[in-house]
Amino acid sequence: MVEQTLGDKLARDILGRIRGGQILPGAKLNAKSLADDFRVSRTPVLEALKTLAARGIATHAPNRGYIVSSTALNGNVGSELDEPVPVTDLYYRLAEDWVGQEIPQDVTEQYLLQRYKARKSEVVGTLVRAVNEGWAERKPGYGWTFLPVVSTPEAFEQVYRFRSAIEPAALLEPTFEFDTQVLDEQERIQQRYLDGAIDTELPDRLILIGMQFHEEIIRLSGNTFFHQALVRVNRLRHLLELRSIFDRARVYDQFSGHLELIRLLRKGDPIEASFYMRQHLAEATSKKTSIQRAHVQNKIRR
Amino acid sequence: MVEQTLGDKLARDILGRIRGGQILPGAKLNAKSLADDFRVSRTPVLEALKTLAARGIATHAPNRGYIVSSTALNGNVGSELDEPVPVTDLYYRLAEDWVGQEIPQDVTEQYLLQRYKARKSEVVGTLVRAVNEGWAERKPGYGWTFLPVVSTPEAFEQVYRFRSAIEPAALLEPTFEFDTQVLDEQERIQQRYLDGAIDTELPDRLILIGMQFHEEIIRLSGNTFFHQALVRVNRLRHLLELRSIFDRARVYDQFSGHLELIRLLRKGDPIEASFYMRQHLAEATSKKTSIQRAHVQNKIRR
DNA sequence: CTATGTATTTATTGTGCGAAAAAAACATTA
DNA sequence: TAATGTTTTTTTCGCACAATAAATACATAG
C-alpha cells in the first residue's frame, strides 16, 4: 500500500465529484459541508483543498476559502490525481502468487513480511481481508493457511450459482424500495459506458462498474444481509475476473441488460424484474464458464 | 477474553471428544496424531495432555504416553474444564452495550480501551469481528461507528428471509454431496437432545446446536459461498437470539424437523428436502417474530 | 453569526525490545 | 522405527514511547 493520508484520498474523491459533474467549476468548496459529507473533520479536508489548489483545480482567496477553478475540466489539469491509485497492493500480489502456486499453502507472518518487504500491519490487514473473502484462515497456533477457492475454476460457477440464489430473491423482498435517485444514477452510468466508453475503459474499471450496479440494485431490497453477502462475494469475484480473459463484447450485452432491468423496476413489477435478473445471471454464467474453460485449457497446453 | 493458551483450548477440545464418545476410556492419546488432527505442533498438545492428567482424565506412564483413564466419564471428573469458557468476552459485552444504548454510536478505540479495560489487540479484534458481522464500520478518519442492525427487531425477520433464499437453494446444488458420516453424526446429536437433554441444557448451547446443524447440512452442498454466507449470518443471529425470549418447547419442533430433513436427504430426494427446508424455516420465522413482537411490547410497556 | 484560518489536543500508527507461546530439531526409549 | 521425552529455535504477543494524522477548540474576518 502506498502511503496515503486521508487528505490525499479526499483530494481524489473531491476531484472525482468535479469530474463527474456533481460540483461545477466556479462553485465554492465549503470546508464544513465537505467535512460533514465525508464524515471527517475539517483538518483533512483542508489538506485536500490545498492539494487541489496546488494542482490548479481550485483557487484560494485568503479568508474566503476555495473555489473550483474554471480550468478544472480542461485537458489534463490535475490528471496526476485522477487514476493513479496504484494497484501494487500487497493484496493483489498475494492473491496472484497464491493462485500461481508461488507461495506454499501454509505460511507464517514472518515469511510474508520478508517475502514482500511489507509492514506488519499491512500483512495482517491483507490476511484479514483474505479471511473475509474466504481464501485464507488463521491456523490454531502460529501461521496462516491459504484455501484453494480462488485457484479453482469451479469457483466461478459457484459464485454465479450463489448469486442466482440471492439476487433474484432480493428483488422480491417486501422491503424493496424503489429509489428513483439510485435508478437514475445507475441508468446514467450504464448509458454513458454504452455510448462508447466501453471500448476505451480499462477492463478492471468495467468489471467494477458492473459489480457496483448489481450491488446498488440489491441494496434497494432494504435487507442488508442480501447486500452484504453480495458485496462480499463480489470482492472475491473481482480477483477471479482479473485472472480470466476479458471480453469487451460481453460488456455490451451485460450493460444493456442492466438498462432493461432498470426499465422493469421502473414499471414497478418486481416479479418480472426478479425473473429477468435470473436470466441475466444465467447468461453471464454460460458465457463465462466456457471462457474460463478455454483459459484453463490454454494453460494446460503450454 | 480470559487468558487462554492453545494448550488450554486443546485440553477442552480433547475432553470434548472423550465426553462425546469419540475417544473411549482406555484409549491411547497419541500425541502425534492429535497434533496432526488439530493442525498444531506436539508442544501445545503435550500441555493439554498434562492438564488432563492433572485433572484425572488421563493417566501418564513415562515413555509410554497418555491413556484416557477409566474414570474419565465418572461424575464430575475434570468438570472444571467442561463449560467454563467464560462469556465475559468483550464481544458480548460490547454487543450488549450497543443494543442497550449504553455506548454512543461513534466511538474511538481509546474510549473502548478505557471503558472495558481491555487490551488493544482485543478491542481491535472485536471490532474487526463486528465489521464482519455487519454491525460496525471504520470511520474514514479516526474512530468507529456502530450500525443499528443488531438492535432492530426487523433484523430477525431479515435474517430468516435471507436464509430462506440460500438454504433451500443450497440443497439443490449439483455438487451436493451426501456424506453419510455427517448425517449420522448430526442425527446422533439431534436425537440425543430430543431424548431429554433439551430440558437441561443451557439455551445458548441449544441455539448453537441448531445453528451447527444447518451449517453442516449446507456445507454438504459443496459450494462454500452458501456455507460461508450462512455461517456469517448465523454469528449475528446468535447475538439476536441471546437477546430474545427462549422457548424450549420450540426446540423440540425444531430438532425433530432436523431429523425429518435428514430422513429426506437419506432418501436421496434433494427437491423434497429443499422444499421441506423452506417450510422448516418458515415455521421458525412465524413463531420467532411473534415472540419477538411480544418481547418488544413488554419492553415498551415497562 | 457563519465560514475561514490557526493552534491545541487527542487518537492512532510505527518501532524496537523483552517475554511467552508454539514449532521444529534432536535424543531416547519400548 | 515410531512414538515419547527434551532441548533449541522461531514466531508472535505485549508494552512503552516517539512520530504522525485527525479531531477539536479557539480566534478572526466577512
Side-chain angles (χ1 to χ4, degrees):
Chain A
M1 185 85 67
V2 176
E3 295 294 345
Q4 196 168 263
T5 170
L6 188 50
D8 300 339
K9 272 181 234 129
L10 287 172
R12 276 171 216 289
D13 288 351
I14 294 170
L15 180 57
R17 292 199 178 179
I18 296 169
R19 294 263 192 267
Q22 292 176 267
I23 304 175
L24 299 172
K28 179 127 191 293
L29 292 164
N30 184 312
K32 176 68 163 49
S33 46
L34 281 170
D36 290 349
D37 230 35
F38 288 106
R39 302 198 308 157
V40 296
S41 74
R42 277 190 312 144
T43 310
V45 170
L46 242 79
E47 270 168 43
L49 293 179
K50 274 180 205 154
T51 314
L52 291 178
R55 295 278 192 283
I57 294 152
T59 55
H60 178 220
N63 287 322
R64 213 163 300 162
Y66 295 80
I67 286 174
V68 182
S69 64
S70 52
T71 58
L73 294 174
N74 285 17
N76 46 16
V77 172
S79 61
E80 64 271 32
L81 280 178
D82 261 337
E83 294 280 357
V85 192
V87 193
T88 35
D89 246 338
L90 179 58
Y91 170 76
Y92 290 106
R93 294 206 281 154
L94 190 63
E96 191 67 23
D97 285 354
W98 165 231
V99 180
Q101 310 272 343
E102 304 284 329
I103 48 176
Q105 176 162 19
D106 289 8
V107 297
T108 61
E109 285 174 22
Q110 211 61 24
Y111 170 84
L112 298 175
L113 233 56
Q114 288 185 250
R115 183 180 222 278
Y116 296 103
K117 306 266 177 269
R119 271 172 282 141
K120 187 177 175 165
S121 59
E122 209 184 335
V123 169
V124 173
T126 306
L127 287 169
V128 168
R129 183 167 174 187
V131 169
N132 284 339
E133 289 171 11
W135 55 280
E137 262 181 0
R138 217 198 184 101
K139 286 207 289 181
Y142 291 153
W144 301 74
T145 313
F146 294 115
L147 305 173
V149 226
V150 216
S151 51
T152 62
E154 297 85 46
F156 248 120
E157 207 163 326
Q158 296 203 338
V159 169
Y160 277 98
R161 293 193 64 87
F162 180 70
R163 290 178 59 202
S164 301
I166 62 169
E167 296 199 35
L171 298 183
L172 299 176
E173 282 293 282
T175 48
F176 191 91
E177 214 175 275
F178 195 94
D179 184 327
T180 328
Q181 218 179 331
V182 172
L183 292 182
D184 287 353
E185 167 92 5
Q186 286 301 320
E187 185 166 34
R188 202 173 55 75
I189 295 173
Q190 304 292 312
Q191 192 62 62
R192 200 178 90 213
Y193 281 96
L194 278 172
D195 288 349
I198 289 180
D199 297 316
T200 56
E201 203 55 88
L202 290 170
D204 188 43
R205 175 58 65 98
L206 293 173
I207 292 168
L208 288 173
I209 294 286
M211 296 199 322
Q212 208 183 51
F213 171 82
H214 282 265
E215 287 171 16
E216 285 300 300
I217 298 300
I218 297 315
R219 190 143 73 114
L220 297 181
S221 71
N223 185 328
T224 25
F225 300 105
F226 284 97
H227 181 244
Q228 283 181 21
L230 181 60
V231 168
R232 190 155 275 126
V233 98
N234 267 349
R235 286 222 216 105
L236 186 74
R237 182 159 73 92
H238 187 204
L239 277 186
L240 299 173
E241 297 271 7
L242 287 178
R243 293 189 56 79
S244 77
I245 291 164
F246 186 73
D247 179 4
R248 269 182 213 277
R250 206 171 55 82
V251 179
Y252 278 100
D253 296 351
Q254 205 187 321
F255 283 22
S256 23
H258 292 168
L259 287 180
E260 173 64 11
L261 193 66
I262 290 175
R263 204 182 58 76
L264 291 174
L265 287 172
R266 282 238 167 79
K267 251 179 64 184
D269 188 345
I271 294 176
E272 201 179 342
S274 170
F275 193 78
Y276 186 79
M277 176 67 96
R278 197 179 297 278
Q279 263 190 314
H280 174 67
L281 290 172
E283 272 174 42
T285 320
S286 58
K287 292 194 185 155
K288 199 82 231 182
T289 43
S290 58
I291 288 167
Q292 184 63 8
R293 292 232 174 79
H295 189 202
V296 170
Q297 286 181 351
N298 282 340
K299 268 203 151 172
I300 291 167
R301 261 181 224 145
R302 263 178 237 147
Chain B
M1 184 87 66
V2 176
E3 293 294 345
Q4 192 166 266
T5 170
L6 188 49
D8 299 339
K9 272 181 234 129
L10 288 172
R12 275 171 216 288
D13 289 351
I14 295 169
L15 180 57
R17 292 198 179 182
I18 296 168
R19 294 263 191 268
Q22 293 176 267
I23 304 175
L24 299 172
K28 179 129 189 291
L29 292 164
N30 183 314
K32 176 69 165 50
S33 46
L34 281 170
D36 290 349
D37 232 34
F38 288 108
R39 301 198 308 159
V40 296
S41 74
R42 278 191 312 147
T43 310
V45 171
L46 242 79
E47 269 168 43
L49 293 178
K50 275 181 204 154
T51 314
L52 291 178
R55 296 279 191 281
I57 295 151
T59 55
H60 178 221
N63 287 321
R64 212 164 301 161
Y66 295 79
I67 287 176
V68 183
S69 65
S70 52
T71 58
L73 295 175
N74 285 16
N76 47 16
V77 171
S79 60
E80 64 271 32
L81 281 178
D82 262 336
E83 294 281 357
V85 191
V87 193
T88 35
D89 245 336
L90 179 57
Y91 170 76
Y92 290 106
R93 293 206 282 153
L94 190 62
E96 191 66 24
D97 286 353
W98 165 231
V99 180
Q101 310 272 342
E102 304 284 329
I103 48 176
Q105 177 162 16
D106 289 8
V107 297
T108 62
E109 285 174 21
Q110 213 59 25
Y111 170 84
L112 298 174
L113 233 55
Q114 288 185 250
R115 183 179 222 277
Y116 297 103
K117 306 265 176 269
R119 271 171 282 143
K120 187 176 176 167
S121 59
E122 211 183 332
V123 169
V124 174
T126 306
L127 287 169
V128 168
R129 183 169 172 184
V131 169
N132 283 338
E133 289 171 11
W135 54 280
E137 263 181 1
R138 214 197 186 102
K139 286 207 289 182
Y142 291 153
W144 301 74
T145 314
F146 294 115
L147 305 173
V149 226
V150 216
S151 51
T152 62
E154 297 86 44
F156 248 121
E157 207 163 324
Q158 297 204 338
V159 169
Y160 277 97
R161 293 193 63 87
F162 181 70
R163 290 177 60 201
S164 301
I166 62 169
E167 296 199 36
L171 298 183
L172 299 175
E173 282 292 283
T175 48
F176 191 92
E177 213 175 277
F178 194 93
D179 184 327
T180 329
Q181 218 179 331
V182 172
L183 292 181
D184 287 352
E185 167 93 3
Q186 286 301 322
E187 184 165 36
R188 201 174 55 73
I189 294 173
Q190 304 293 313
Q191 191 64 61
R192 200 178 91 215
Y193 282 97
L194 277 172
D195 288 350
I198 288 180
D199 297 316
T200 56
E201 202 57 86
L202 290 169
D204 188 43
R205 174 58 66 98
L206 293 174
I207 292 167
L208 289 172
I209 295 285
M211 296 198 323
Q212 206 183 52
F213 172 81
H214 283 265
E215 288 170 16
E216 284 299 301
I217 298 301
I218 297 315
R219 189 142 73 113
L220 297 180
S221 71
N223 185 329
T224 26
F225 300 104
F226 284 97
H227 181 244
Q228 283 181 19
L230 180 62
V231 168
R232 189 155 276 127
V233 98
N234 268 349
R235 287 223 215 104
L236 186 74
R237 182 158 73 93
H238 187 204
L239 278 185
L240 299 173
E241 298 270 7
L242 287 179
R243 293 191 55 80
S244 77
I245 291 164
F246 186 73
D247 179 5
R248 271 181 213 279
R250 207 170 55 83
V251 179
Y252 278 99
D253 295 350
Q254 203 187 323
F255 283 23
S256 21
H258 292 169
L259 287 180
E260 173 64 9
L261 194 65
I262 290 175
R263 203 182 60 74
L264 292 173
L265 288 172
R266 283 236 167 78
K267 251 179 65 184
D269 188 344
I271 293 176
E272 201 179 341
S274 171
F275 193 78
Y276 186 80
M277 176 67 96
R278 196 179 297 278
Q279 265 190 313
H280 174 66
L281 289 172
E283 273 173 40
T285 319
S286 59
K287 292 193 185 157
K288 197 81 234 182
T289 42
S290 57
I291 288 167
Q292 183 63 9
R293 293 234 174 78
H295 189 204
V296 169
Q297 285 181 352
N298 282 341
K299 267 203 152 173
I300 291 166
R301 259 181 225 146
R302 262 177 239 147

